[in-house]
Amino acid sequence: MKLPKSVNQIIRSLQTAGYDAYAVGGCVRDALLGREPQDWDITTSATPEVVKSLFPHTIDTGIVHGTVTVMQNHVGYEVTTYRIDGEYADGRHPNEVTFTDNLLEDLRRRDFTINAMAYNDERGLVDAFEGEADLARGIIRCVGDARERFSEDALRMLRAVRFAAQLGFAIEERTAQAIRELSGTLEKVSAERIQTELLKILTSDHPEELRQAWELGLTAVFLPEFDCMMKAPQNNKHHCCSVGEHTLRALQEVSKDKVLRLTMLLHDVAKPACTSEDENGSQHFYGHPELGADMARQILRRLKFDNDTTARVCALVRFHDERPPLQEHILRRFVSRVGQERIPDLLAVKRADTLAQSTYHRQEKLEYVEALAKMYTRFLEDRQCLRKQDLAVNGKDLIALGIEPGPRIGAALDELLERVLDEPALNTKEKLLTLAHNFITPSI
Ligand code: ATP
Ligand code: MG
């Protein structure tokens, strides 16, 4: 295994000072798989004080848990003292950690065998729990007794699904059985920690592994809306499976972008609540995009997503099912309503949604989306005015004209934009100022 130069420098400095040090955890796993590690973590027998004294630039990242970030060639590396985790009374954090000088103790506290390997050039791979064999077999298996490990930290259950999704691995049967038994205890885990793992599942190569989180009883805890979707049939010609299966398919049809994947997850979240049946037994889901945007907002808040992500996802959910007629003036209004910068994402959402539906009229649906994309591109090429800030006049121009400063200015600009969306040729300063004359309140 080839460690980066900086990692070797840190390990050597620690060794020279008389301590043991290894690359450990996710980076060893990824290097063995030939994947680029996200970050290199180092585990050492040196205490945090010693680590701090050996390197000129360090940051106290998690000093109580033994973690110091060492800056080496302008990159930070987390160096953590070998430790034994105490009880996890709250299913979240170890109540206390004890430092140890025994590498095996440190490896034993880690979640899965594939994450419990260490490496340095002197000793080579330290693999006490058959991690390398599980990597070769493609298996996620707890270190030690699965039930015990999940009782210490319930988040590990969701991490098992996360690694299955990222690596395309299977969860070993006894590990899976323990998750089935203990899934309810995920409730003790903070929304922030759940969010991190959910995002990693969604943006992985296998977002459809969310199905497994459902089968194991995990989504019931943090996303019961998904369980409703899995149970909701869709009896109509546009669909061939449940709302949930359609959602899983749609996730696979969109690129690994956070906002796009969250949107596909939630685009039909309101369908179960909006289901009606006509006289022919066909089901309809009137109003699901609007209610869906509301539900998405609640769900994303509950999972502590930031406001920007939430706003972007909710807007895409709200507009995912709109099919404006392909007439320029109508489409300009649509683009203006959705927000010009959101259209590329919306097109991606519509493509994925279509590809996840039945083949009924699929070609026509896809052609429609491409026609929409083409018209939108032309608007941009022609530098058409689709936003207030692209009008040939601004607020100052209107004030100079004699319109009273304040809300009237915004209203006047809105009105001018409406006119320009209908008739782009109106977007010259002269024409707009003439139009704006009508908005001046006659003084008595
Ligand atoms: P990523 O590539 O996403 O960073 P990772 O395996 O490095 O994946 P991290 O969450 O960064 O995952 O954790 C680093 C290592 O710490 C893991 O490989 C594992 O050995 C250990 N670890 C992390 N979280 C837990 C946990 N909740 N319980 C036990 N061990 C854990
Ligand atoms: Mg990591």
Side-chain angles (χ1 to χ4, degrees), residues 311-324 330-347 349-350 372 376 386-387 417 421:
R312 288 169 64 192
V313 172
C314 292
L316 292 169
V317 171
R318 166 65 188 81
F319 291 111
H320 82 272
D321 211 28
E322 303 245 334
R323 276 176 295 274
I330 298 180
L331 208 58
R332 273 192 297 270
R333 280 178 184 276
F334 178 72
V335 171
S336 162
R337 200 155 63 95
V338 174
Q340 173 174 324
E341 66 292 340
R342 293 197 169 115
I343 299 294
D345 281 351
L346 185 62
L347 292 167
V349 166
K350 291 182 81 64
L372 205 68
Y376 169 70
L386 302 162
R387 303 173 298 190
L417 179 61
L421 290 171

Side-chain angles (χ1 to χ4, degrees), residues 51-245:
V51 175
K52 284 171 67 169
S53 70
L54 287 176
F55 299 94
H57 302 292
T58 64
I59 303 162
D60 289 4
T61 312
I63 208 88
V64 279
H65 297 110
T67 303
V68 174
T69 296
V70 172
M71 298 305 295
Q72 191 81 353
N73 306 324
H74 308 289
V75 180
Y77 296 87
E78 289 197 354
V79 178
T80 305
T81 306
Y82 295 167
R83 63 178 219 220
I84 305 168
D85 292 344
E87 284 288 295
Y88 283 73
D90 61 354
R92 274 173 260 180
H93 318 285
N95 292 354
E96 49 175 27
V97 305
T98 317
F99 298 141
T100 163
D101 56 7
N102 185 340
L103 171 65
L104 282 191
E105 293 292 343
D106 182 83
L107 295 178
R108 202 186 304 283
R109 72 170 171 90
R110 294 172 185 270
D111 46 9
F112 304 109
T113 58
I114 59 169
N115 288 345
M117 291 180 276
Y119 176 92
N120 68 21
D121 285 344
E122 288 65 36
R123 245 186 100 177
L125 189 69
V126 181
D127 176 18
F129 308 102
E130 296 182 33
E132 201 178 14
D134 284 345
L135 272 187
R137 286 185 290 223
I139 279 177
I140 311 292
R141 184 163 59 92
C142 281
V143 173
D145 181 70
R147 229 173 298 139
E148 219 171 88
R149 305 316 309 283
F150 293 142
S151 309
E152 290 165 356
D153 180 7
L155 184 74
R156 290 172 186 158
M157 298 187 284
L158 192 57
R159 284 173 62 86
V161 177
R162 186 258 275 201
F163 290 114
Q166 286 182 325
L167 304 173
F169 280 20
I171 301 177
E172 178 263 340
E173 187 42 43
R174 254 177 307 171
T175 300
Q177 187 51 36
I179 299 179
R180 274 183 214 106
E181 284 170 30
L182 296 171
S183 55
T185 62
L186 184 64
E187 164 209 81
K188 290 185 284 187
V189 174
S190 74
E192 288 84 351
R193 291 183 81 204
I194 289 177
Q195 187 215 100
T196 304
E197 299 300 328
L198 172 64
L199 265 183
K200 287 187 176 181
I201 294 171
L202 291 177
T203 56
S204 73
D205 279 348
H206 298 283
E208 73 281 6
E209 283 291 332
L210 195 65
R211 184 192 293 109
Q212 191 168 203
W214 165 70
E215 285 165 352
L216 294 172
L218 295 171
T219 55
V221 177
F222 67 90
L223 196 60
E225 295 86 353
F226 184 73
D227 292 49
C228 295
M229 289 195 265
M230 289 304 285
K231 275 182 277 177
Q234 305 189 87
N235 298 321
N236 74 36
K237 50 190 186 293
H238 294 284
H239 287 281
C240 46
C241 50
S242 68
V243 177
E245 287 296 336

